[in-house]
Amino acid sequence: MESMQGHLLSLPLARWSAVFVAAALFLLAIERSFGAPEWLGLKRGGGYTDLALTGIAQDYPRALAQADYHLASVNDRTRTMSGDWLMHNISARAWLTRARLTGSYEDHAAAKRSLEQAFAVASPGTGPHLTGAVLAFSMHRLPEAERYLDAIGRYAVPPDREEQAEVTAIRGDIALYRGDYGGALAQYDAADRLAPGTSDFRRAIYLSFTGRPVLAEDYFNKAERALQNPTRHARGTLELQRGILDLDRGRLDDALAHFRRANEIFPGFWLIEEHIAEVTALKGDPGAAQTMYRDIVRRTGHPEFMDALAEVAAAQGDRKAAEHWFSRAEAAWTQRLQAFPEASYGHAIDHCIAKGDWPCALSLARRNHQARPYGAAKIALAKALLGSKRTAEARAVIDAVLATTWRTVDLHLTASEIYSALGLAGPAAEQNRLARALAI
């Protein structure tokens, strides 16, 4: 258990949280409702596209090539139909499709620009409000997402049942990330009454947060069965989520098996590969993990993985390499925090913690908690308070989480560390026991 505790309390990477979950929800909602990707059958110069750009992509490079081709085609049409807000909406969704592949905040920014162009030409009371809600939620801008949903509620002609279900389910997502867990479930129930299965993936996420990983996996399985001709990306995403369930419980061998299976389903996807690298490091092979992380950094430029490289180097006593990667990550985080603050807070906290920069961690944790006061944000705030020697405040925050239905190994181990710092041996031992029980 000590090794699991070290893993969960010092891990430099915050998993892709709401950004990744929102992207996965967008992916699964599209595939559940419409089946095959919308680029199938697009024409080039009067003929059909090359075979390499049609059909169900077998791997990440081809999926990205398809997304890029689709974007080029859509943008060509948008330039000739610039007064049609629907075309700008299609462009925004194409950028979101690319964003869920790349994890690039720049792709999200491009989607935002397409949305702004759509609203600039849309008649009052119309426009791509649902796409706007998805984008705002993915960037952790909950009030903005809610405003888009409220606009849909004022439509003169109500949307169809499936769109109403998605609107209701997103309201549940917003409630979840505000810490209103009962409200989230109520919205998910309402969404499923409108369109059964809308909330299956969401329920799995909720259950993973509330200490029921086995039932969460059942809902991931149910979500997969509901997909019509699912892409490899969707199937790989679901297998990745199954692995995260095990990783969060410290079950490294089971997690690695899921991640490798996900990589077989959708090879070349950096998000799967970084989880393999993470487990590889945790299982005691830092050299192999570093090789994987360096390749992922080269391909993505994401600072989370620069921090991971720094953390692995520091654990090996290589201070020079650690400082190099922390410095590179610092520059990237500075840019992200300026451009996409709400979406960056939660991840940048881990950078500050890994460096031992507690004023930075506490400042970001407070802002992250203000944006999304759910369990994970409160735990991050408690860790930052503990590291800042504000132990009594840390206890108040962690006790508030324990008073809710949020139940994760990370919660109990963080509570144990806080109680130990306060000299409360009995409560600390009990929290360790609860962590072990969840990891079974």
Side-chain angles (χ1 to χ4, degrees):
M1 177 53 90
E2 289 181 359
S3 62
M4 186 199 304
Q5 181 166 351
H7 154 49
L8 289 167
L9 294 184
S10 66
L11 189 65
L13 300 181
R15 233 152 261 120
W16 284 72
S17 66
V19 174
F20 170 63
V21 171
L25 288 170
F26 176 68
L27 161 66
L28 295 172
I30 291 295
E31 295 202 17
R32 184 180 62 247
S33 301
F34 307 112
E38 57 188 287
W39 57 70
L40 298 186
L42 285 177
K43 295 183 178 181
R44 175 194 292 164
Y48 288 104
T49 62
D50 296 338
L51 284 176
L53 296 174
T54 61
I56 303 300
Q58 301 299 303
D59 54 30
Y60 176 81
R62 183 171 296 186
L64 185 58
Q66 288 180 336
D68 286 340
Y69 179 80
H70 180 49
L71 258 172
S73 176
V74 167
N75 289 338
D76 281 346
R77 285 182 288 170
T78 302
R79 279 189 286 271
T80 63
M81 302 172 65
S82 59
D84 185 347
W85 73 260
L86 289 170
M87 284 305 306
H88 291 293
N89 181 45
I90 293 172
S91 176
R93 287 194 166 232
W95 279 112
L96 279 173
T97 295
R98 192 177 198 281
R100 66 179 168 80
L101 287 165
T102 63
S104 167
Y105 288 178
E106 286 72 19
D107 288 345
H108 285 89
K112 180 70 171 176
R113 288 193 294 272
S114 292
L115 277 175
E116 291 169 349
Q117 291 167 344
F119 283 113
V121 299
S123 300
T126 66
H129 295 99
L130 183 56
T131 305
V134 170
L135 175 60
F137 176 76
S138 72
M139 302 309 287
H140 303 180
R141 296 170 179 169
L142 303 188
E144 182 182 338
E146 206 160 39
R147 288 194 293 272
Y148 281 121
L149 299 180
D150 290 344
I152 295 172
R154 294 190 292 270
Y155 283 177
V157 178
D160 62 30
R161 289 177 68 86
E162 283 200 343
E163 185 167 327
Q164 289 182 52
E166 194 62 26
V167 167
T168 303
I170 294 173
R171 289 194 185 277
D173 299 335
I174 292 170
L176 175 64
Y177 284 93
R178 282 185 172 151
D180 180 7
Y181 309 126
L185 279 181
Q187 295 285 3
Y188 295 159
D189 288 342
D192 283 338
R193 286 193 294 271
L194 288 165
T198 297
S199 300
D200 288 343
F201 185 92
R202 294 170 160 96
R203 287 183 194 278
I205 297 297
Y206 172 88
L207 291 163
S208 72
F209 288 158
T210 54
R212 288 168 285 180
V214 175
L215 190 54
E217 186 165 3
D218 288 343
Y219 271 97
F220 284 135
N221 294 341
K222 187 178 178 185
E224 185 167 14
R225 288 194 298 271
L227 296 177
Q228 304 171 18
N229 301 316
T231 63
R232 285 176 172 258
H233 184 191
R235 290 171 52 216
T237 293
L238 286 160
E239 191 65 20
L240 174 65
Q241 283 292 330
R242 296 180 186 108
I244 290 173
L245 286 175
D246 285 323
L247 179 58
D248 286 343
R249 298 156 73 191
R251 300 172 61 169
L252 302 184
D253 290 338
D254 292 335
L256 186 58
H258 281 298
F259 296 151
R260 285 176 172 163
R261 174 60 181 150
N263 197 47
E264 291 172 359
I265 294 170
F266 191 55
F269 191 18
W270 55 269
L271 188 60
I272 296 170
E273 293 171 355
E274 71 93 355
H275 282 85
I276 294 173
E278 182 180 350
V279 176
T280 298
L282 292 170
K283 287 174 65 67
D285 191 350
Q290 284 179 311
T291 298
M292 285 185 270
Y293 278 132
R294 278 193 292 267
D295 183 56
I296 294 166
V297 167
R298 177 185 60 79
R299 288 152 50 198
T300 69
H302 292 326
E304 289 89 342
F305 312 130
M306 299 176 195
D307 281 329
L309 275 166
E311 190 80 351
V312 174
Q316 292 183 290
D318 189 345
R319 293 182 58 185
K320 183 177 180 181
E323 290 173 2
H324 167 76
W325 288 112
F326 275 138
S327 177
R328 284 192 58 182
E330 181 91 17
W333 282 124
T334 298
Q335 290 180 344
R336 283 196 175 190
L337 285 164
Q338 289 173 348
F340 313 101
E342 299 92 345
S344 302
Y345 292 148
H347 309 295
I349 292 168
D350 293 319
H351 169 76
C352 298
I353 290 176
K355 289 183 61 182
D357 185 348
W358 295 108
C360 167
L362 183 56
S363 174
L364 291 175
R366 290 194 187 283
R367 283 181 275 175
N368 184 53
H369 182 261
Q370 183 177 13
R372 303 177 302 148
Y374 75 125
K378 290 183 185 295
I379 294 167
L381 177 58
K383 290 178 182 180
L385 287 164
L386 179 62
S388 302
K389 310 300 181 185
R390 302 171 71 160
T391 314
E393 293 175 67
R395 181 184 180 179
V397 172
I398 212 68
D399 283 349
V401 186
L402 289 167
T404 71
T405 57
W406 192 276
R407 289 293 179 271
T408 61
V409 173
D410 193 19
L411 166 63
H412 293 304
L413 293 177
T414 303
S416 176
E417 188 173 7
I418 291 169
Y419 293 154
S420 293
L422 290 167
L424 302 173
E430 174 62 10
Q431 292 300 316
N432 266 310
R433 184 191 69 78
L434 292 170
R436 285 193 292 271
L438 271 182
I440 293 174

